[in-house]
């Protein structure tokens, strides 16, 4: 009897493994993209407002309109 035999039986019963799940990815957009967006979201408008302050440094915000399954 090997110890790995029980692990194979559990996976074979149809349970979804962690590596089989699909992950949602969002593209990072900058404030200029949020400024001209046709469907503005709360997160993008909050980011745009914070980038209007003097000395603000931003790295972008995940855009919900660019959702991709990866």
């Amino acid at each position: 009897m090997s110890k790995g035999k029980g692990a194979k039986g559990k996976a074979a019963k149809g349970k979804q493994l962690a590596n089989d799940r699909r992950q949602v990815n969002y593209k990072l957009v900058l404030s200029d993209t949020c400024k001209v967006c046709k469907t503005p979201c709360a997160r993008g408008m909050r980011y745009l407002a914070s980038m209007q302050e003097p000395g603000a440094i931003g790295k972008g915000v995940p855009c919900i309109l660019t959702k991709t399954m990866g």
Side-chain angles (χ1 to χ4, degrees):
M1 285 190 184
S2 67
K3 293 182 181 180
K5 189 174 185 179
K8 290 181 183 178
K10 288 182 182 179
K13 290 184 181 180
K15 291 185 180 181
Q16 189 176 23
L17 299 175
N19 58 358
D20 290 342
R21 294 186 202 138
R22 298 191 70 153
Q23 185 175 6
V24 177
N25 297 319
Y26 299 100
K27 291 183 182 178
L28 289 177
V29 296
L30 300 176
S31 59
D32 58 342
T33 306
C34 291
K35 188 184 295 186
V36 297
C37 184
K38 294 179 181 177
T39 54
C41 61
R43 181 190 284 176
M45 292 298 104
R46 192 169 53 242
Y47 177 69
L48 180 61
S50 68
M51 290 297 105
Q52 297 295 328
E53 297 176 8
I57 299 174
K59 296 182 179 179
V61 65
C63 180
I64 61 171
L65 300 175
T66 60
K67 180 169 59 170
T68 60
M69 298 300 265

CSV table of all heavy atoms in Angstrom, one decimal:
chain,number,residue,atom,x,y,z
A,1,MET,N,0.8,-1.2,0.0
A,1,MET,CA,0.0,0.0,0.0
A,1,MET,C,0.9,1.2,0.0
A,1,MET,O,1.8,1.4,0.8
A,1,MET,CB,-0.9,0.0,1.2
A,1,MET,CG,-2.0,-0.9,1.2
A,1,MET,SD,-3.0,-0.5,2.6
A,1,MET,CE,-4.2,-1.8,2.5
A,2,SER,N,0.6,2.1,-0.9
A,2,SER,CA,1.3,3.4,-0.9
A,2,SER,C,0.5,4.5,-0.3
A,2,SER,O,-0.7,4.5,-0.3
A,2,SER,CB,1.7,3.7,-2.4
A,2,SER,OG,0.6,4.0,-3.1
A,3,LYS,N,1.1,5.5,0.2
A,3,LYS,CA,0.4,6.6,0.8
A,3,LYS,C,-0.3,7.5,-0.2
A,3,LYS,O,-1.2,8.2,0.1
A,3,LYS,CB,1.4,7.5,1.6
A,3,LYS,CG,1.9,6.7,2.8
A,3,LYS,CD,2.8,7.6,3.6
A,3,LYS,CE,3.4,6.8,4.8
A,3,LYS,NZ,4.3,7.6,5.6
A,4,GLY,N,0.2,7.6,-1.4
A,4,GLY,CA,-0.3,8.4,-2.5
A,4,GLY,C,-1.6,7.9,-3.1
A,4,GLY,O,-2.3,8.6,-3.8
A,5,LYS,N,-2.0,6.7,-2.8
A,5,LYS,CA,-3.2,6.1,-3.4
A,5,LYS,C,-4.5,6.8,-2.9
A,5,LYS,O,-5.4,7.0,-3.7
A,5,LYS,CB,-3.2,4.6,-3.0
A,5,LYS,CG,-4.3,3.8,-3.7
A,5,LYS,CD,-4.2,2.3,-3.4
A,5,LYS,CE,-5.1,1.5,-4.2
A,5,LYS,NZ,-5.0,0.1,-3.9
A,6,GLY,N,-4.5,7.2,-1.7
A,6,GLY,CA,-5.7,7.9,-1.2
A,6,GLY,C,-5.9,9.3,-1.8
A,6,GLY,O,-7.0,9.7,-2.1
A,7,ALA,N,-4.9,9.9,-2.1
A,7,ALA,CA,-5.0,11.3,-2.8
A,7,ALA,C,-5.5,11.2,-4.2
A,7,ALA,O,-6.3,12.0,-4.6
A,7,ALA,CB,-3.6,11.9,-2.8
A,8,LYS,N,-5.2,10.1,-4.9
A,8,LYS,CA,-5.7,10.0,-6.3
A,8,LYS,C,-7.2,9.7,-6.2
A,8,LYS,O,-7.9,10.2,-7.1
A,8,LYS,CB,-4.9,8.8,-7.0
A,8,LYS,CG,-3.5,9.1,-7.3
A,8,LYS,CD,-2.9,7.9,-8.0
A,8,LYS,CE,-1.4,8.2,-8.3
A,8,LYS,NZ,-0.8,7.0,-8.9
A,9,GLY,N,-7.6,9.0,-5.3
A,9,GLY,CA,-9.1,8.6,-5.2
A,9,GLY,C,-9.9,9.9,-4.9
A,9,GLY,O,-11.0,10.0,-5.5
A,10,LYS,N,-9.4,10.8,-4.1
A,10,LYS,CA,-10.2,12.0,-3.8
A,10,LYS,C,-10.3,12.9,-5.1
A,10,LYS,O,-11.3,13.5,-5.3
A,10,LYS,CB,-9.5,12.8,-2.7
A,10,LYS,CG,-9.7,12.1,-1.3
A,10,LYS,CD,-9.1,12.9,-0.2
A,10,LYS,CE,-9.3,12.2,1.1
A,10,LYS,NZ,-8.6,13.0,2.2
A,11,ALA,N,-9.2,13.0,-5.8
A,11,ALA,CA,-9.2,13.9,-7.0
A,11,ALA,C,-10.1,13.3,-8.1
A,11,ALA,O,-10.6,14.0,-8.9
A,11,ALA,CB,-7.8,14.1,-7.5
A,12,ALA,N,-10.2,12.0,-8.1
A,12,ALA,CA,-10.9,11.3,-9.2
A,12,ALA,C,-12.4,11.4,-9.0
A,12,ALA,O,-13.2,11.1,-9.9
A,12,ALA,CB,-10.4,9.9,-9.3
A,13,LYS,N,-12.9,11.8,-7.8
A,13,LYS,CA,-14.3,11.8,-7.6
A,13,LYS,C,-15.0,13.0,-8.2
A,13,LYS,O,-16.2,13.2,-8.0
A,13,LYS,CB,-14.5,11.8,-6.1
A,13,LYS,CG,-14.2,10.5,-5.4
A,13,LYS,CD,-14.5,10.5,-4.0
A,13,LYS,CE,-14.2,9.1,-3.3
A,13,LYS,NZ,-14.5,9.1,-1.9
A,14,GLY,N,-14.3,13.9,-8.9
A,14,GLY,CA,-14.9,15.0,-9.6
A,14,GLY,C,-14.8,16.3,-8.8
A,14,GLY,O,-15.4,17.3,-9.2
A,15,LYS,N,-14.0,16.3,-7.8
A,15,LYS,CA,-13.8,17.6,-7.1
A,15,LYS,C,-12.9,18.5,-7.9
A,15,LYS,O,-12.0,18.0,-8.6
A,15,LYS,CB,-13.2,17.4,-5.7
A,15,LYS,CG,-14.1,16.7,-4.8
A,15,LYS,CD,-13.5,16.6,-3.4
A,15,LYS,CE,-14.4,15.9,-2.4
A,15,LYS,NZ,-13.8,15.9,-1.1
A,16,GLN,N,-13.2,19.8,-7.9
A,16,GLN,CA,-12.4,20.7,-8.7
A,16,GLN,C,-11.1,21.1,-7.9
A,16,GLN,O,-11.2,21.5,-6.8
A,16,GLN,CB,-13.2,22.0,-8.9
A,16,GLN,CG,-12.6,22.9,-9.9
A,16,GLN,CD,-13.5,24.1,-10.2
A,16,GLN,OE1,-14.3,24.4,-9.4
A,16,GLN,NE2,-13.3,24.7,-11.3
A,17,LEU,N,-10.0,20.9,-8.5
A,17,LEU,CA,-8.7,21.2,-7.9
A,17,LEU,C,-8.4,22.7,-8.0
A,17,LEU,O,-9.0,23.4,-8.9
A,17,LEU,CB,-7.6,20.4,-8.6
A,17,LEU,CG,-7.7,18.9,-8.5
A,17,LEU,CD1,-6.6,18.2,-9.3
A,17,LEU,CD2,-7.7,18.4,-7.1
A,18,ALA,N,-7.6,23.2,-7.2
A,18,ALA,CA,-7.2,24.6,-7.2
A,18,ALA,C,-6.6,25.1,-8.5
A,18,ALA,O,-6.9,26.2,-9.0
A,18,ALA,CB,-6.3,24.9,-6.0
A,19,ASN,N,-5.8,24.2,-9.1
A,19,ASN,CA,-5.2,24.7,-10.4
A,19,ASN,C,-6.1,24.5,-11.6
A,19,ASN,O,-5.7,25.0,-12.7
A,19,ASN,CB,-3.9,23.9,-10.6
A,19,ASN,CG,-4.1,22.4,-10.6
A,19,ASN,OD1,-5.3,21.9,-10.5
A,19,ASN,ND2,-3.1,21.6,-10.9
A,20,ASP,N,-7.3,24.0,-11.4
A,20,ASP,CA,-8.2,23.8,-12.5
A,20,ASP,C,-9.1,25.1,-12.6
A,20,ASP,O,-9.8,25.2,-13.6
A,20,ASP,CB,-9.1,22.6,-12.4
A,20,ASP,CG,-8.3,21.3,-12.6
A,20,ASP,OD1,-7.2,21.4,-13.2
A,20,ASP,OD2,-8.8,20.3,-12.1
A,21,ARG,N,-9.2,25.9,-11.6
A,21,ARG,CA,-10.0,27.1,-11.6
A,21,ARG,C,-9.5,28.1,-12.6
A,21,ARG,O,-8.3,28.3,-12.7
A,21,ARG,CB,-10.2,27.7,-10.2
A,21,ARG,CG,-10.9,26.7,-9.3
A,21,ARG,CD,-11.1,27.4,-8.0
A,21,ARG,NE,-11.3,26.4,-7.0
A,21,ARG,CZ,-10.8,26.4,-5.8
A,21,ARG,NH1,-10.1,27.4,-5.4
A,21,ARG,NH2,-11.0,25.4,-5.0
A,22,ARG,N,-10.4,28.9,-13.2
A,22,ARG,CA,-10.0,30.0,-14.1
A,22,ARG,C,-9.8,31.2,-13.2
A,22,ARG,O,-10.6,31.5,-12.4
A,22,ARG,CB,-11.0,30.1,-15.2
A,22,ARG,CG,-11.1,28.9,-16.0
A,22,ARG,CD,-11.9,29.1,-17.2
A,22,ARG,NE,-11.1,30.0,-18.1
A,22,ARG,CZ,-11.2,30.0,-19.4
A,22,ARG,NH1,-12.0,29.3,-20.0
A,22,ARG,NH2,-10.4,30.8,-20.1
A,23,GLN,N,-8.9,32.0,-13.6
A,23,GLN,CA,-8.6,33.2,-12.8
A,23,GLN,C,-9.0,34.5,-13.6
A,23,GLN,O,-8.7,34.5,-14.8
A,23,GLN,CB,-7.1,33.3,-12.5
A,23,GLN,CG,-6.8,34.5,-11.6
A,23,GLN,CD,-5.3,34.5,-11.2
A,23,GLN,OE1,-4.5,33.7,-11.6
A,23,GLN,NE2,-4.9,35.4,-10.3
A,24,VAL,N,-9.6,35.4,-13.0
A,24,VAL,CA,-10.0,36.6,-13.7
A,24,VAL,C,-8.9,37.6,-13.6
A,24,VAL,O,-8.3,37.8,-12.6
A,24,VAL,CB,-11.3,37.2,-13.0
A,24,VAL,CG1,-11.7,38.6,-13.6
A,24,VAL,CG2,-12.4,36.3,-13.0
A,25,ASN,N,-8.6,38.2,-14.7
A,25,ASN,CA,-7.5,39.2,-14.8
A,25,ASN,C,-8.1,40.6,-15.3
A,25,ASN,O,-9.0,40.6,-16.1
A,25,ASN,CB,-6.4,38.8,-15.8
A,25,ASN,CG,-5.7,37.5,-15.4
A,25,ASN,OD1,-5.4,37.3,-14.2
A,25,ASN,ND2,-5.5,36.6,-16.3
A,26,TYR,N,-7.6,41.7,-14.7
A,26,TYR,CA,-8.0,43.0,-15.1
A,26,TYR,C,-6.7,43.7,-15.6
A,26,TYR,O,-5.6,43.6,-15.1
A,26,TYR,CB,-8.5,43.8,-13.9
A,26,TYR,CG,-9.8,43.2,-13.3
A,26,TYR,CD1,-9.7,42.4,-12.2
A,26,TYR,CD2,-11.0,43.4,-13.9
A,26,TYR,CE1,-10.8,41.9,-11.6
A,26,TYR,CE2,-12.2,42.8,-13.3
A,26,TYR,CZ,-12.1,42.1,-12.2
A,26,TYR,OH,-13.2,41.5,-11.7
A,27,LYS,N,-6.9,44.6,-16.6
A,27,LYS,CA,-5.8,45.4,-17.1
A,27,LYS,C,-5.7,46.6,-16.2
A,27,LYS,O,-6.8,47.2,-15.7
A,27,LYS,CB,-6.1,45.8,-18.5
A,27,LYS,CG,-6.0,44.7,-19.5
A,27,LYS,CD,-6.1,45.2,-20.9
A,27,LYS,CE,-6.1,44.1,-21.9
A,27,LYS,NZ,-6.3,44.5,-23.3
A,28,LEU,N,-4.5,47.1,-16.0
A,28,LEU,CA,-4.3,48.4,-15.2
A,28,LEU,C,-4.4,49.5,-16.2
A,28,LEU,O,-3.8,49.5,-17.2
A,28,LEU,CB,-3.0,48.4,-14.5
A,28,LEU,CG,-2.8,47.4,-13.4
A,28,LEU,CD1,-1.3,47.5,-12.8
A,28,LEU,CD2,-3.8,47.7,-12.3
A,29,VAL,N,-5.2,50.5,-15.8
A,29,VAL,CA,-5.4,51.7,-16.6
A,29,VAL,C,-5.0,52.9,-15.8
A,29,VAL,O,-5.1,52.9,-14.6
A,29,VAL,CB,-6.8,51.9,-17.1
A,29,VAL,CG1,-7.2,50.7,-18.1
A,29,VAL,CG2,-7.8,51.9,-16.0
A,30,LEU,N,-4.6,53.9,-16.5
A,30,LEU,CA,-4.1,55.2,-15.9
A,30,LEU,C,-5.3,56.2,-15.9
A,30,LEU,O,-6.3,56.0,-16.4
A,30,LEU,CB,-2.9,55.7,-16.6
A,30,LEU,CG,-1.7,54.8,-16.6
A,30,LEU,CD1,-0.6,55.4,-17.4
A,30,LEU,CD2,-1.2,54.5,-15.2
A,31,SER,N,-5.1,57.3,-15.2
A,31,SER,CA,-6.1,58.3,-15.0
A,31,SER,C,-6.6,58.9,-16.3
A,31,SER,O,-7.8,59.3,-16.5
A,31,SER,CB,-5.6,59.4,-14.1
A,31,SER,OG,-4.5,60.0,-14.6
A,32,ASP,N,-5.7,59.0,-17.4
A,32,ASP,CA,-6.2,59.5,-18.6
A,32,ASP,C,-7.2,58.6,-19.3
A,32,ASP,O,-8.1,59.1,-20.0
A,32,ASP,CB,-5.0,59.8,-19.6
A,32,ASP,CG,-4.2,58.6,-19.9
A,32,ASP,OD1,-4.3,57.6,-19.1
A,32,ASP,OD2,-3.4,58.6,-20.8
A,33,THR,N,-7.1,57.3,-19.1
A,33,THR,CA,-8.1,56.4,-19.6
A,33,THR,C,-9.4,56.5,-18.9
A,33,THR,O,-10.5,56.5,-19.5
A,33,THR,CB,-7.6,54.9,-19.5
A,33,THR,OG1,-6.3,54.8,-20.1
A,33,THR,CG2,-8.5,53.9,-20.1
A,34,CYS,N,-9.3,56.7,-17.6
A,34,CYS,CA,-10.6,56.9,-16.8
A,34,CYS,C,-11.3,58.2,-17.1
A,34,CYS,O,-12.5,58.2,-17.1
A,34,CYS,CB,-10.2,56.9,-15.3
A,34,CYS,SG,-9.7,55.3,-14.7
A,35,LYS,N,-10.5,59.2,-17.5
A,35,LYS,CA,-11.1,60.5,-17.9
A,35,LYS,C,-12.0,60.4,-19.1
A,35,LYS,O,-13.0,61.0,-19.1
A,35,LYS,CB,-9.9,61.5,-18.1
A,35,LYS,CG,-10.4,62.9,-18.3
A,35,LYS,CD,-9.3,63.8,-18.6
A,35,LYS,CE,-8.3,63.9,-17.5
A,35,LYS,NZ,-7.2,64.9,-17.7
A,36,VAL,N,-11.6,59.6,-20.1
A,36,VAL,CA,-12.4,59.5,-21.3
A,36,VAL,C,-13.3,58.3,-21.4
A,36,VAL,O,-13.8,58.0,-22.5
A,36,VAL,CB,-11.4,59.5,-22.5
A,36,VAL,CG1,-10.6,60.8,-22.6
A,36,VAL,CG2,-10.5,58.3,-22.5
A,37,CYS,N,-13.4,57.6,-20.3
A,37,CYS,CA,-14.2,56.3,-20.3
A,37,CYS,C,-15.7,56.7,-20.5
A,37,CYS,O,-16.2,57.6,-19.9
A,37,CYS,CB,-14.0,55.6,-19.0
A,37,CYS,SG,-14.9,54.1,-18.9
A,38,LYS,N,-16.4,55.9,-21.3
A,38,LYS,CA,-17.8,56.1,-21.6
A,38,LYS,C,-18.7,55.6,-20.5
A,38,LYS,O,-19.8,56.0,-20.4
A,38,LYS,CB,-18.2,55.4,-22.9
A,38,LYS,CG,-17.5,56.0,-24.1
A,38,LYS,CD,-17.8,55.2,-25.4
A,38,LYS,CE,-17.1,55.8,-26.6
A,38,LYS,NZ,-17.4,55.1,-27.8
A,39,THR,N,-18.2,54.6,-19.7
A,39,THR,CA,-19.0,54.1,-18.6
A,39,THR,C,-18.1,54.2,-17.3
A,39,THR,O,-17.5,53.2,-16.9
A,39,THR,CB,-19.4,52.6,-18.8
A,39,THR,OG1,-18.2,51.9,-19.1
A,39,THR,CG2,-20.3,52.5,-20.0
A,40,PRO,N,-18.1,55.4,-16.7
A,40,PRO,CA,-17.2,55.6,-15.5
A,40,PRO,C,-17.7,54.8,-14.3
A,40,PRO,O,-18.9,54.6,-14.1
A,40,PRO,CB,-17.3,57.1,-15.3
A,40,PRO,CG,-18.5,57.5,-15.9
A,40,PRO,CD,-18.8,56.6,-17.1
A,41,CYS,N,-16.7,54.2,-13.6
A,41,CYS,CA,-17.1,53.5,-12.4
A,41,CYS,C,-16.6,54.2,-11.2
A,41,CYS,O,-15.8,55.2,-11.3
A,41,CYS,CB,-16.4,52.1,-12.4
A,41,CYS,SG,-14.6,52.1,-12.5
A,42,ALA,N,-17.0,53.8,-10.0
A,42,ALA,CA,-16.7,54.5,-8.8
A,42,ALA,C,-15.2,54.5,-8.5
A,42,ALA,O,-14.5,55.5,-8.1
A,42,ALA,CB,-17.4,54.0,-7.6
A,43,ARG,N,-14.6,53.3,-8.7
A,43,ARG,CA,-13.1,53.1,-8.5
A,43,ARG,C,-12.3,54.0,-9.4
A,43,ARG,O,-11.4,54.7,-9.0
A,43,ARG,CB,-12.7,51.7,-8.7
A,43,ARG,CG,-11.3,51.4,-8.4
A,43,ARG,CD,-10.9,50.0,-8.9
A,43,ARG,NE,-11.3,49.0,-8.0
A,43,ARG,CZ,-11.2,47.7,-8.2
A,43,ARG,NH1,-10.6,47.3,-9.3
A,43,ARG,NH2,-11.6,46.8,-7.3
A,44,GLY,N,-12.7,54.1,-10.7
A,44,GLY,CA,-12.0,54.9,-11.6
A,44,GLY,C,-12.1,56.4,-11.3
A,44,GLY,O,-11.1,57.1,-11.4
A,45,MET,N,-13.3,56.8,-10.9
A,45,MET,CA,-13.5,58.2,-10.6
A,45,MET,C,-12.7,58.6,-9.3
A,45,MET,O,-12.2,59.7,-9.2
A,45,MET,CB,-15.0,58.5,-10.5
A,45,MET,CG,-15.7,58.4,-11.8
A,45,MET,SD,-15.2,59.6,-13.0
A,45,MET,CE,-14.2,58.5,-14.1
A,46,ARG,N,-12.7,57.7,-8.4
A,46,ARG,CA,-11.9,58.0,-7.1
A,46,ARG,C,-10.4,58.1,-7.5
A,46,ARG,O,-9.7,59.0,-6.9
A,46,ARG,CB,-12.2,56.9,-6.1
A,46,ARG,CG,-11.7,57.1,-4.8
A,46,ARG,CD,-12.3,56.1,-3.8
A,46,ARG,NE,-12.0,54.7,-4.2
A,46,ARG,CZ,-12.9,53.8,-4.4
A,46,ARG,NH1,-14.2,54.1,-4.3
A,46,ARG,NH2,-12.6,52.6,-4.8
A,47,TYR,N,-9.9,57.2,-8.3
A,47,TYR,CA,-8.5,57.3,-8.7
A,47,TYR,C,-8.3,58.6,-9.5
A,47,TYR,O,-7.2,59.2,-9.3
A,47,TYR,CB,-8.2,56.1,-9.6
A,47,TYR,CG,-6.8,56.0,-10.1
A,47,TYR,CD1,-5.7,55.9,-9.3
A,47,TYR,CD2,-6.6,56.2,-11.5
A,47,TYR,CE1,-4.4,55.8,-9.8
A,47,TYR,CE2,-5.3,56.2,-12.0
A,47,TYR,CZ,-4.2,56.0,-11.1
A,47,TYR,OH,-2.9,56.0,-11.6
A,48,LEU,N,-9.2,58.9,-10.4
A,48,LEU,CA,-9.0,60.2,-11.2
A,48,LEU,C,-8.9,61.4,-10.3
A,48,LEU,O,-8.1,62.3,-10.5
A,48,LEU,CB,-10.1,60.3,-12.2
A,48,LEU,CG,-10.1,61.5,-13.1
A,48,LEU,CD1,-8.9,61.5,-14.0
A,48,LEU,CD2,-11.4,61.5,-13.9
A,49,ALA,N,-9.8,61.4,-9.3
A,49,ALA,CA,-9.8,62.6,-8.3
A,49,ALA,C,-8.5,62.6,-7.5
A,49,ALA,O,-7.9,63.7,-7.3
A,49,ALA,CB,-11.0,62.4,-7.4
A,50,SER,N,-8.0,61.5,-7.1
A,50,SER,CA,-6.7,61.5,-6.4
A,50,SER,C,-5.5,61.9,-7.2
A,50,SER,O,-4.6,62.4,-6.7
A,50,SER,CB,-6.5,60.1,-5.7
A,50,SER,OG,-6.2,59.1,-6.7
A,51,MET,N,-5.6,61.6,-8.5
A,51,MET,CA,-4.5,62.0,-9.4
A,51,MET,C,-4.5,63.5,-9.8
A,51,MET,O,-3.5,64.0,-10.3
A,51,MET,CB,-4.5,61.1,-10.7
A,51,MET,CG,-4.2,59.7,-10.5
A,51,MET,SD,-2.5,59.4,-9.9
A,51,MET,CE,-2.7,59.0,-8.2
A,52,GLN,N,-5.6,64.1,-9.5
A,52,GLN,CA,-5.7,65.6,-9.8
A,52,GLN,C,-5.0,66.4,-8.8
A,52,GLN,O,-4.7,67.6,-9.0
A,52,GLN,CB,-7.2,66.0,-9.8
A,52,GLN,CG,-8.0,65.3,-11.0
A,52,GLN,CD,-7.5,65.7,-12.3
A,52,GLN,OE1,-7.1,66.8,-12.6
A,52,GLN,NE2,-7.6,64.8,-13.3
A,53,GLU,N,-4.7,65.8,-7.6
A,53,GLU,CA,-4.0,66.6,-6.5
A,53,GLU,C,-2.5,66.7,-6.9
A,53,GLU,O,-1.9,65.9,-7.5
A,53,GLU,CB,-4.1,65.8,-5.2
A,53,GLU,CG,-5.5,65.7,-4.7
A,53,GLU,CD,-5.6,64.8,-3.5
A,53,GLU,OE1,-4.5,64.5,-2.9
A,53,GLU,OE2,-6.7,64.5,-3.1
A,54,PRO,N,-1.9,67.9,-6.6
A,54,PRO,CA,-0.5,68.1,-6.9
A,54,PRO,C,0.4,67.1,-6.2
A,54,PRO,O,0.2,66.8,-5.0
A,54,PRO,CB,-0.2,69.5,-6.3
A,54,PRO,CG,-1.6,70.1,-6.1
A,54,PRO,CD,-2.5,69.0,-5.9
A,55,GLY,N,1.4,66.6,-7.0
A,55,GLY,CA,2.4,65.7,-6.4
A,55,GLY,C,1.9,64.2,-6.3
A,55,GLY,O,2.6,63.4,-5.8
A,56,ALA,N,0.7,63.9,-6.9
A,56,ALA,CA,0.2,62.6,-6.8
A,56,ALA,C,1.0,61.6,-7.7
A,56,ALA,O,1.3,62.0,-8.9
A,56,ALA,CB,-1.3,62.6,-7.2
A,57,ILE,N,1.3,60.4,-7.2
A,57,ILE,CA,2.0,59.4,-8.0
A,57,ILE,C,1.1,58.2,-8.1
A,57,ILE,O,0.7,57.7,-7.0
A,57,ILE,CB,3.3,59.1,-7.4
A,57,ILE,CG1,4.2,60.3,-7.3
A,57,ILE,CG2,4.0,57.9,-8.1
A,57,ILE,CD1,5.5,60.0,-6.6
A,58,GLY,N,0.7,57.8,-9.3
A,58,GLY,CA,-0.2,56.6,-9.4
A,58,GLY,C,0.4,55.6,-10.3
A,58,GLY,O,1.2,55.8,-11.2
A,59,LYS,N,0.0,54.3,-10.0
A,59,LYS,CA,0.5,53.2,-10.8
A,59,LYS,C,-0.6,52.6,-11.6
A,59,LYS,O,-0.5,51.5,-12.1
A,59,LYS,CB,1.1,52.2,-9.8
A,59,LYS,CG,2.3,52.7,-9.1
A,59,LYS,CD,2.9,51.6,-8.2
A,59,LYS,CE,4.2,52.2,-7.6
A,59,LYS,NZ,4.8,51.2,-6.7
A,60,GLY,N,-1.8,53.2,-11.6
A,60,GLY,CA,-2.9,52.6,-12.3
A,60,GLY,C,-3.9,52.0,-11.4
A,60,GLY,O,-3.7,51.8,-10.2
A,61,VAL,N,-5.1,51.7,-12.0
A,61,VAL,CA,-6.2,51.0,-11.2
A,61,VAL,C,-6.7,49.9,-12.1
A,61,VAL,O,-6.8,50.0,-13.3
A,61,VAL,CB,-7.2,52.1,-10.8
A,61,VAL,CG1,-7.9,52.7,-12.1
A,61,VAL,CG2,-8.3,51.5,-9.9
A,62,PRO,N,-7.1,48.8,-11.5
A,62,PRO,CA,-7.7,47.7,-12.3
A,62,PRO,C,-9.1,48.1,-12.9
A,62,PRO,O,-9.9,48.6,-12.1
A,62,PRO,CB,-7.9,46.5,-11.3
A,62,PRO,CG,-7.1,46.9,-10.1
A,62,PRO,CD,-6.9,48.4,-10.1
A,63,CYS,N,-9.2,48.0,-14.1
A,63,CYS,CA,-10.5,48.4,-14.8
A,63,CYS,C,-11.4,47.2,-15.0
A,63,CYS,O,-11.0,46.2,-15.5
A,63,CYS,CB,-10.1,49.0,-16.2
A,63,CYS,SG,-11.6,49.5,-17.1
A,64,ILE,N,-12.6,47.3,-14.4
A,64,ILE,CA,-13.6,46.2,-14.5
A,64,ILE,C,-14.1,46.0,-15.9
A,64,ILE,O,-14.6,44.9,-16.2
A,64,ILE,CB,-14.7,46.4,-13.5
A,64,ILE,CG1,-15.5,47.7,-13.9
A,64,ILE,CG2,-14.2,46.5,-12.1
A,64,ILE,CD1,-16.8,47.8,-13.1
A,65,LEU,N,-13.9,46.9,-16.8
A,65,LEU,CA,-14.4,46.7,-18.2
A,65,LEU,C,-13.4,45.9,-19.0
A,65,LEU,O,-13.7,45.6,-20.1
A,65,LEU,CB,-14.6,48.1,-18.8
A,65,LEU,CG,-15.6,49.0,-18.1
A,65,LEU,CD1,-15.7,50.4,-18.7
A,65,LEU,CD2,-17.0,48.3,-18.1
A,66,THR,N,-12.2,45.7,-18.5
A,66,THR,CA,-11.2,44.9,-19.3
A,66,THR,C,-11.0,43.5,-18.7
A,66,THR,O,-9.9,43.0,-18.7
A,66,THR,CB,-9.9,45.7,-19.3
A,66,THR,OG1,-9.4,45.8,-17.9
A,66,THR,CG2,-10.0,47.0,-19.9
A,67,LYS,N,-12.1,42.9,-18.1
A,67,LYS,CA,-11.9,41.6,-17.5
A,67,LYS,C,-11.7,40.5,-18.5
A,67,LYS,O,-12.4,40.5,-19.5
A,67,LYS,CB,-13.2,41.3,-16.7
A,67,LYS,CG,-13.2,40.0,-16.0
A,67,LYS,CD,-14.4,39.8,-15.1
A,67,LYS,CE,-15.7,39.9,-15.6
A,67,LYS,NZ,-16.8,39.5,-14.7
A,68,THR,N,-10.7,39.7,-18.2
A,68,THR,CA,-10.4,38.6,-19.1
A,68,THR,C,-10.2,37.3,-18.3
A,68,THR,O,-9.8,37.4,-17.1
A,68,THR,CB,-9.1,38.8,-19.9
A,68,THR,OG1,-8.0,39.0,-19.0
A,68,THR,CG2,-9.2,40.0,-20.8
A,69,MET,N,-10.6,36.2,-18.8
A,69,MET,CA,-10.4,34.9,-18.1
A,69,MET,C,-9.1,34.3,-18.5
A,69,MET,O,-8.8,34.2,-19.7
A,69,MET,CB,-11.6,34.0,-18.4
A,69,MET,CG,-12.9,34.5,-18.0
A,69,MET,SD,-13.0,34.8,-16.2
A,69,MET,CE,-13.7,33.2,-15.7
A,70,GLY,N,-8.3,34.0,-17.6
A,70,GLY,CA,-7.0,33.5,-18.0
A,70,GLY,C,-6.6,32.2,-17.4
A,70,GLY,O,-7.1,31.4,-16.8
